[in-house]
Amino acid sequence: MANDRKTLPYRELEIDDDSPAHRHKKKKKDEKNWGVPGAVLIVCLMTLPLLVFLCSGSRLSSTLIWLRDVKVNAVQGWEHGSNQTSSTASNNNHTNGLIDGLISPNFDKESCLSRYESALYYKTIPYMPSSYLKQKLRNYEALHKKCGPNTPLYKKSIEQLNSGHSAELMDCNYVVWIPYLGLGNRILTLVSTFLYAILTNKVMLIQATDDMVGLFCEPFPDSSWILPPDFPIKNIMQLDVNSNVTYRNMLNNHVISNDPNTKVESLPSYVYIHLSHDIEHSDRLFYCNEDQYIIGKFNWLLLHSDLYFVPSLYSTPMFEEELGLLFPAKESVFYLLAHYLIHPTNSVWGLVTRYYNSYLSKADEKIGIQIRIFHWVKVSSEVIFQQILDCSKKERVLPELDLNGTTAFKTNEPKSKAILVASLYADYYERFKSMYYEHSVKTGEFVSVYQPSHEERQKTEIQSHNQKALAEIYLLSLCDVLMTTAYSTFGYIGYGLAGIKPIFLITVHDKIPDPPCVRAVSMEPCNLTPLLNTCTGKTVDKEKFEQHVKQCEDVDHGIKLFD
């Protein structure tokens, strides 16, 4: 049986009382109201008959002592049990939303509900942060608070920037993230740039554009990550691969040298790093050890990218040991850093929770299907839809139709499945809806089909479009099974936040490929334009590197992290 409603809009809907956030609040309230006094009351009631029997004459004193000991042990046991429950619940993301200390508790919770609530909506946590990562994040937060916008040290660094040359012994050094392309690319590069900032002890600031307003909460306590509007470099959004201030062009024009003995004062006050898909040969020197020594001497880095360049950082020897300490599990990098850094604002989180609690939360299984049609794909929607069906049959994703209508109606409570379609187009949603409306399924399950929006085209320049896109990424991440489009950064973030390994729909060129899809081995995003081996100095051990940095399952020329 299928749901027959039209595309379901984001709208103000009453949150279901069974929502994760409501259950969490109710549990906390119950624990607060009951707690230790309740435990003591239970013990007293259980021991009352024995007390009456024993309490006579000289036995009364010793009995009261025994009862006191029982009460103390019971309270300790309750507290111990509570801690055990808390630990277990933390493993299942159902306690305080902090993911075992990944997220700092030093925020006003009401100002960004998703920071603490989002973890409550996930069934499992595939990875916990290492103690080293947690300490590194707390250290970074202290650095950001000390060096953030409008602090005395920030103003001192702006004076240095205006001087035209770098300076030694500066308390604060910065990497400025420059937005480029769509929301998926931006989130991937935010995470990548933040990791680079942690590795190099720099402060990350972002050049926020109008289309980003109202998307993300501030990620660091008591400070901002937004680059102030009076930042001296006014053409920051116009910088590109041909700009004179790129590291490559400054090398080629002999403005700077990659000699390790280069004096800091001889360097310009900033350098532009271009790590986008049109990266040139010399730009790839960014990943070389000797060049990182020079780049690290600049007080200001302006970084432009549309790629998840984290896998390439593993090729830099100076980062190798630190990365191993931060992320013992290689596949945990994006999952942990994204859950730390990216938090939808209350307006976006409201879209997510209202939709999820109204339509998806009660389903026994949630299946997310993300469909991105790239401009180079010249086949019809019928071909793409058939590819999805072929993939589903191969991987057993969608409920199988009973084309003969022989499935008997089940008198007991049937299971339900919800299919969430994320696409710019309504056509695929309508096809799924009709398919499950016109036919029952062999297992007798109820099947509902949903699509939050269909914008028809990507509108990155429009704030409301980006808000809906971010909400749909999070809705996808709350699904149990994901089928996503190969090469799609939108899909990468959906399954990366979910912490699950998706099924990739292989790019269709002229006909449906065989096989039509492939199951991911790693949950990490793909670096679609990786480095080539251009370094001449010290390099990492190639065999060791290739054990955990390999070709992406969905893109032949991409690389990603594997455990």
Side-chain angles (χ1 to χ4, degrees):
M1 181 176 180
N3 162 306
D4 191 33
R5 58 171 61 89
K6 293 293 183 182
T7 300
L8 300 170
Y10 292 115
R11 50 183 173 173
E12 294 290 335
L13 292 162
E14 194 148 332
I15 293 182
D16 195 317
D17 283 344
D18 193 42
S19 69
H22 178 85
R23 292 196 303 271
H24 175 63
K25 290 175 183 176
K26 184 176 184 299
K27 176 187 172 192
K28 286 291 187 186
K29 182 178 178 182
D30 290 345
E31 288 175 351
K32 182 178 179 181
N33 292 341
W34 187 244
V36 171
V40 175
L41 177 59
I42 290 172
V43 173
C44 290
L45 290 174
M46 291 174 63
T47 57
L48 183 59
L50 185 58
L51 178 62
V52 172
F53 175 76
L54 294 173
C55 285
S56 60
S58 62
R59 293 181 182 176
L60 179 59
S61 176
S62 60
T63 302
L64 290 176
I65 293 172
W66 171 82
L67 179 58
R68 178 200 65 195
D69 293 338
V70 170
K71 187 183 87 167
V72 171
N73 288 336
V75 171
Q76 289 175 340
W78 182 271
E79 290 175 344
H80 180 63
S82 176
N83 288 338
Q84 282 185 323
T85 302
S86 175
S87 175
T88 303
S90 177
N91 289 338
N92 293 307
N93 260 350
H94 292 307
T95 309
N96 55 16
L98 299 179
I99 313 184
D100 195 31
L102 176 74
I103 298 171
S104 169
N106 300 324
F107 286 95
D108 170 23
K109 294 185 179 181
E110 298 301 318
S111 66
C112 183
L113 296 172
S114 68
R115 195 189 319 273
Y116 298 103
E117 285 187 5
S118 61
L120 306 175
Y121 281 77
Y122 294 98
K123 290 182 178 179
T124 60
I125 305 178
Y127 295 106
M128 288 295 186
S130 66
S131 57
Y132 190 82
L133 173 61
K134 288 186 284 187
Q135 186 57 55
K136 198 77 172 179
L137 292 173
R138 301 296 86 82
N139 293 344
Y140 176 83
E141 289 161 4
L143 176 68
H144 198 102
K145 183 178 180 179
K146 182 177 75 170
C147 301
N150 302 317
T151 60
L153 288 176
Y154 172 81
K155 293 175 182 178
K156 180 180 178 182
S157 295
I158 290 295
E159 291 176 4
Q160 171 270 314
L161 178 63
N162 287 326
S163 73
H165 59 81
S166 293
E168 283 195 89
L169 303 177
M170 294 294 291
D171 294 283
C172 307
N173 296 291
Y174 299 84
V175 53
V176 177
W177 173 85
I178 303 173
Y180 183 48
L181 295 183
L183 182 62
N185 301 85
R186 295 183 182 196
I187 293 176
L188 292 176
T189 57
L190 275 171
V191 170
S192 302
T193 305
F194 180 60
L195 176 57
Y196 179 73
I198 292 175
L199 292 171
T200 56
N201 202 37
K202 296 184 185 298
V203 176
M204 184 179 82
L205 301 177
I206 69 169
Q207 172 65 42
T209 50
D210 291 342
D211 50 42
M212 293 180 63
V213 174
L215 281 183
F216 307 119
C217 299
E218 291 278 1
F220 312 122
D222 304 316
S223 188
S224 175
W225 66 341
I226 305 295
L227 193 69
D230 59 354
F231 187 67
I233 303 173
K234 300 302 181 184
N235 67 334
I236 190 169
M237 294 297 293
Q238 283 71 52
L239 296 174
D240 60 25
V241 68
N242 296 313
S243 299
N244 291 331
V245 291
T246 66
Y247 180 69
R248 170 178 63 90
N249 286 333
M250 283 202 283
L251 279 177
N252 293 342
N253 295 332
H254 306 292
V255 175
I256 61 173
S257 166
N258 58 0
D259 183 338
N261 296 316
T262 298
K263 300 283 187 184
V264 173
E265 292 81 0
S266 69
L267 299 174
S269 57
Y270 72 94
V271 62
Y272 170 67
I273 304 296
H274 190 87
L275 300 179
S276 296
H277 64 276
D278 57 347
I279 188 170
E280 296 286 343
H281 173 82
S282 298
D283 291 312
R284 300 174 194 270
L285 295 175
F286 175 81
Y287 302 110
C288 299
N289 225 44
E290 286 71 18
D291 293 271
Q292 266 301 320
Y293 280 118
I294 302 302
I295 291 170
K297 293 181 180 183
F298 283 89
N299 300 130
W300 289 86
L301 269 65
L302 312 182
L303 198 150
H304 179 286
S305 181
D306 57 358
L307 303 168
Y308 182 66
F309 59 84
V310 167
S312 297
L313 293 176
Y314 277 79
S315 69
T316 308
M318 69 167 60
F319 300 147
E320 187 177 15
E321 182 180 359
E322 186 82 351
L323 286 167
L325 293 171
L326 291 168
F327 305 102
K330 304 295 186 295
E331 290 182 32
S332 69
V333 178
F334 181 82
Y335 177 83
L336 292 172
L337 290 185
H339 278 282
Y340 172 81
L341 192 68
I342 307 299
H343 304 288
T345 58
N346 286 352
S347 57
V348 176
W349 186 239
L351 300 178
V352 177
T353 55
R354 287 193 296 273
Y355 201 92
Y356 180 85
N357 293 325
S358 297
Y359 303 123
L360 303 175
S361 63
K362 296 296 179 68
D364 295 299
E365 184 180 48
K366 293 170 279 292
I367 302 167
I369 301 180
Q370 181 258 338
I371 306 163
R372 172 67 195 271
I373 309 300
F374 292 102
H375 64 85
W376 61 79
V377 175
K378 303 300 182 183
V379 298
S380 65
S381 60
E382 287 86 351
V383 173
I384 300 297
F385 189 71
Q386 187 58 52
Q387 180 192 20
I388 296 170
L389 297 183
D390 291 351
C391 175
S392 174
K393 184 177 181 180
K394 173 180 176 288
E395 298 291 343
R396 299 182 179 181
V397 177
L398 298 171
E400 189 176 354
L401 298 179
D402 177 19
L403 299 177
N404 298 321
T406 57
T407 302
F409 178 76
K410 295 184 178 181
T411 55
N412 58 332
E413 186 74 20
K415 287 186 177 294
S416 62
K417 291 193 177 185
I419 300 172
L420 179 72
V421 179
S423 173
L424 289 171
Y425 312 105
D427 182 59
Y428 302 100
Y429 160 75
E430 295 292 345
R431 289 172 184 270
F432 280 121
K433 187 191 71 172
S434 298
M435 188 171 78
Y436 286 106
Y437 176 72
E438 295 168 3
H439 302 282
S440 59
V441 299
K442 290 184 176 180
T443 52
E445 297 160 312
F446 288 127
V447 180
S448 299
V449 180
Y450 304 100
Q451 181 176 24
S453 70
H454 49 87
E455 300 281 287
E456 299 303 323
R457 69 175 182 86
Q458 189 169 345
K459 307 170 187 175
T460 303
E461 72 284 357
I462 299 177
Q463 178 199 20
S464 60
H465 173 87
N466 290 330
Q467 289 181 322
K468 291 178 183 179
L470 183 58
E472 288 187 33
I473 285 174
Y474 271 84
L475 286 170
L476 276 177
S477 77
L478 296 176
C479 291
D480 306 303
V481 180
L482 283 174
M483 184 187 296
T484 66
T485 301
Y487 212 88
S488 170
T489 57
F490 192 102
Y492 290 167
I493 297 165
Y495 74 72
L497 285 169
I500 61 178
K501 298 171 183 178
I503 299 162
F504 291 120
L505 292 165
I506 302 301
T507 302
V508 178
H509 294 287
D510 51 1
K511 63 179 182 179
I512 298 174
D514 184 19
C517 56
V518 61
R519 189 174 289 272
V521 178
S522 165
M523 65 177 67
E524 273 285 296
C526 180
N527 182 352
L528 299 172
T529 309
L531 77 164
L532 300 175
N533 187 14
T534 57
C535 304
T536 56
K538 181 180 179 181
T539 59
V540 296
D541 182 87
K542 182 179 179 182
E543 184 177 348
K544 185 178 179 181
F545 175 77
E546 291 177 349
Q547 286 177 353
H548 53 259
V549 180
K550 303 179 184 180
Q551 178 180 306
C552 304
E553 304 94 337
D554 60 323
V555 180
D556 290 342
H557 56 269
I559 58 171
K560 66 190 294 187
L561 294 169
F562 291 79
D563 282 328

